[in-house]
Amino acid sequence: QVELVESGGGSVQAGGSLRLSCAASRYTRSSRYCFGWLRQAPGKQREEVATIDKYGFESYSDSVKGRFTISQDISETTLYLQMNSLKPEDTAKYYCAAGVYCSGWNYKGQGTQVTVSS
């Protein structure tokens, strides 16, 4: 059972940056999971903003492409999301997720809140 714990959320003004982290425990690199960042704002559907698969291939939603970057440390036990040029519409709770297949998430963290003010 993989445990995911997010950190790094907070409040920032539009145009600012934040870096989210996700620590994965009870996960080994040999598992070759896909990892991703999801977000959900009140009253809106959950959105998959960025994923990184077992080959290191990155994918982004159109809404964050060019502004957000997903990455992992060498051991693949820490996932990051660098968020630049933040907009008020990026305000949401951000979740780290992991799974055998991208978008088929087996595990999800408790989330960290990101609030962007105009």
Side-chain angles (χ1 to χ4, degrees), residues 19 23 67 70 90 102:
R19 190 194 198 201
R67 300 188 297 122
I70 190 171
D90 294 319
C102 291

Side-chain angles (χ1 to χ4, degrees), residues 40-53:
Q40 188 158 23
K44 293 189 177 180
Q45 281 195 319
R46 190 178 77 181
E47 181 185 9
E48 194 172 275
V49 298
T51 63
I52 183 165
D53 71 11

Side-chain angles (χ1 to χ4, degrees), residues 30 77 87 99:
S30 59
T77 57
K87 304 175 181 179

Side-chain angles (χ1 to χ4, degrees), residues 29 72-78 80:
R29 193 174 178 183
Q72 287 176 297
D73 69 348
I74 192 70
S75 66
E76 296 179 10
T77 57
T78 306
Y80 302 99

Side-chain angles (χ1 to χ4, degrees), residues 18-66:
L18 280 175
R19 190 194 198 201
L20 305 184
S21 299
C22 171
S25 57
R26 292 192 290 275
Y27 170 77
T28 58
R29 193 174 178 183
S30 59
S31 298
R32 311 287 314 270
Y33 277 9
C34 177
F35 283 84
W37 287 97
L38 320 174
R39 70 185 181 186
Q40 188 158 23
K44 293 189 177 180
Q45 281 195 319
R46 190 178 77 181
E47 181 185 9
E48 194 172 275
V49 298
T51 63
I52 183 165
D53 71 11
K54 60 184 179 181
Y55 303 107
F57 180 79
E58 301 166 23
S59 180
Y60 299 91
S61 67
D62 288 342
S63 62
V64 307
K65 202 172 291 183

Side-chain angles (χ1 to χ4, degrees), residues 64-112:
V64 307
K65 202 172 291 183
R67 300 188 297 122
F68 290 12
T69 303
I70 190 171
S71 62
Q72 287 176 297
D73 69 348
I74 192 70
S75 66
E76 296 179 10
T77 57
T78 306
L79 182 73
Y80 302 99
L81 184 68
Q82 178 66 43
M83 306 186 293
N84 298 328
S85 303
L86 282 161
K87 304 175 181 179
E89 50 263 45
D90 294 319
T91 295
K93 195 165 189 179
Y94 284 70
Y95 299 88
C96 173
V100 177
Y101 302 103
C102 291
S103 302
W105 307 114
N106 301 104
Y107 306 101
K108 192 160 66 80
Q110 293 299 307
T112 185

